[in-house]
């Protein structure tokens, strides 16, 4: 079955997914459908910066021969189109009825490797929300996502994520700043760029969801925040957007000031999110 042209996909995404479908179809008949979610579904994919996130639904539990076939398909894809940023989960179709319970991935493709232990599985309320509301069917039969996912459950997941994963980032950044100031060390600019893009836009997405009861992309959250975050941090947010877009725009001269402002912004987002 050919890919469904629901919307014009970025060329890199279309090429990658067509190759994946071809590589899978020559090796297994167990694939029911493949859906795209993440930045592609949110129409904010940036080649070289964004991942291509997919869920492949399978008819039957994967056998050893299925797993081998899928692994070979991904190896072929990587050989044909290197460094695609492809990340995905192979999920039993019948398990869609159990999203409120823990669902075990049949197989994942993460960090250029297939994994039977669920490494990199992205099965959480945010994924289910995007899949149901904006997911793109690239291949196979149309699936009716008739599971219920209420706003309260979505927000509960987001606030827990903020108060665990993202608080951990704030703590590590504070430790880095203290070490830099105490030992007068230079800050690794490339690593700081990565932290600014990942943490700023990542946490702003959480704040957007809690305020608007919806999900947006990282870039969308960045632009949204310029109307909801004090102006003193707008320059840092602009830098985060530029880094995500692989653009060279930088506003800060002092890396220590950048790191200090990043920590202060993340603390503000954390407090504001819990207040909401």
């Amino acid at each position: 079955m050919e890919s469904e042209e629901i919307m014009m996909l970025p060329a890199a995404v279309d090429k990658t997914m067509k190759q994946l479908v071809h590589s899978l179809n020559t090796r297994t008949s167990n694939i029911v459908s493949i859906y795209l979610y993440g930045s592609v579904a949110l129409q904010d994919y940036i080649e070289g910066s964004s991942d291509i996130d997919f869920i492949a639904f399978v008819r039957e539990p994967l056998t050893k021969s299925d797993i081998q076939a899928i692994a070979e398909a991904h190896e072929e894809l990587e050989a044909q189109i290197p460094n695609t940023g492809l990340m995905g989960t192979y999920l039993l179709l019948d398990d869609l009825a159990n999203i409120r319970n823990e669902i075990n991935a049949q197989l994942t493709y993460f960090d250029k490797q297939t994994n039977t232990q669920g490494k990199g599985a992205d099965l959480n309320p945010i994924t289910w929300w995007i899949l149901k509301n904006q997911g793109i069917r690239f291949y196979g039969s149309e699936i009716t996502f008739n599971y219920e996912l209420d706003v309260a459950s979505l927000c509960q997941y987001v606030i827990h994520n903020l108060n665990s994963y993202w608080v951990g980032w704030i703590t590590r950044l504070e430790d880095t700043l203290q070490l830099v100031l105490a030992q007068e060390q230079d800050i690794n600019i490339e690593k700081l760029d990565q932290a600014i893009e990942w943490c700023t836009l990542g946490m702003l997405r959480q704040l957007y969801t809690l305020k608007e009861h919806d999900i947006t992309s990282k870039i969308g959250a960045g632009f949204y925040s310029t109307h909801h975050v004090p102006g003193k941090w707008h320059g840092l947010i602009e830098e985060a957007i530029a880094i995500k877009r692989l653009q060279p725009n930088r506003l800060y001269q002092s890396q220590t000031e950048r790191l200090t402002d990043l920590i202060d912004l993340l603390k503000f987002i954390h407090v504001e999110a819990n207040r909401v």
Side-chain angles (χ1 to χ4, degrees):
M1 186 177 295
E2 297 297 325
S3 63
E4 180 179 278
E5 299 297 337
I6 298 177
M7 59 173 286
M8 184 66 71
L9 291 174
V13 175
D14 191 59
K15 180 181 179 181
T16 298
M17 294 307 299
K18 283 179 177 175
Q19 179 62 55
L20 176 62
V21 168
H22 172 76
S23 296
L24 288 170
N25 277 344
T26 58
R27 293 172 171 85
T28 179
S29 59
N30 201 359
I31 309 297
V32 177
S33 297
I34 299 177
Y35 273 75
L36 296 166
Y37 65 102
S39 60
V40 176
L42 295 171
Q43 299 185 44
D44 208 4
Y45 173 81
I46 301 168
E47 186 174 356
S49 178
S50 301
D51 295 322
I52 302 174
D53 300 297
F54 75 90
I55 293 183
F57 295 97
V58 298
R59 294 183 182 85
E60 304 290 341
L62 297 181
T63 63
K64 288 184 178 181
S65 61
D66 284 328
I67 292 170
Q68 180 62 32
I70 292 170
E72 291 175 359
H74 281 284
E75 289 172 3
E76 181 178 67
L77 170 60
E78 188 62 35
Q80 294 288 332
I81 314 174
N83 303 317
T84 60
L86 190 68
M87 294 177 60
T89 301
Y90 291 82
L91 188 67
L92 192 62
L93 182 59
D94 288 347
D95 281 347
L96 272 179
N98 304 313
I99 69 161
R100 290 187 177 275
N101 304 314
E102 184 175 350
I103 296 179
N104 295 319
Q106 293 285 302
L107 190 73
T108 59
Y109 185 71
F110 178 75
D111 199 20
K112 299 184 181 182
Q113 293 183 334
T114 50
N115 187 281
T116 58
Q117 304 302 313
K119 183 178 181 180
D122 199 18
L123 304 178
N124 59 62
I126 292 175
T127 298
W128 303 131
W129 186 280
I130 297 175
L131 195 64
K132 181 171 183 175
N133 295 294
Q134 293 169 280
I136 298 171
R137 174 165 60 104
F138 188 86
Y139 166 81
S141 303
E142 184 175 1
I143 295 173
T144 301
F145 298 108
N146 54 12
Y147 52 77
E148 293 186 7
L149 183 63
D150 58 272
V151 168
S153 298
L154 178 66
C155 291
Q156 184 180 22
Y157 171 80
V158 167
I159 201 68
H160 174 74
N161 190 243
L162 263 168
N163 290 329
S164 53
Y165 176 79
W166 290 111
V167 165
W169 261 102
I170 295 172
T171 300
R172 291 192 297 274
L173 291 170
E174 287 182 312
D175 291 344
T176 299
L177 178 60
Q178 291 178 4
L179 187 63
V180 166
L181 294 175
Q183 301 184 8
E184 297 183 353
Q185 293 182 347
D186 291 332
I187 295 175
N188 185 305
I189 297 176
E190 183 178 353
K191 288 185 177 180
L192 182 53
D193 276 1
Q194 293 171 353
I196 287 172
E197 180 269 320
W198 179 254
C199 295
T200 300
L201 301 182
M203 285 190 69
L204 286 174
R205 286 188 75 189
Q206 317 291 303
L207 184 61
Y208 175 91
T209 295
L210 293 169
K211 282 181 173 287
E212 302 300 328
H213 296 169
D214 202 356
I215 292 171
T216 188
S217 67
K218 288 185 176 181
I219 299 295
F223 285 122
Y224 168 87
S225 69
T226 59
H227 302 287
H228 297 84
V229 170
K232 62 182 178 180
W233 288 305
H234 288 185
L236 187 67
I237 294 168
E238 290 174 14
E239 279 203 355
I241 292 171
I243 294 166
K244 180 64 178 175
R245 287 179 163 174
L246 306 178
Q247 296 170 343
N249 314 43
R250 302 292 185 273
L251 302 177
Y252 285 77
Q253 299 298 317
S254 166
Q255 300 306 313
T256 302
E257 184 181 353
R258 284 179 92 206
L259 178 53
T260 301
D261 281 1
L262 173 61
I263 294 169
D264 289 345
L265 171 59
L266 300 185
K267 286 183 173 180
F268 168 83
I269 297 171
H270 179 240
V271 171
E272 182 70 7
N274 278 279
R275 185 190 65 79
V276 172

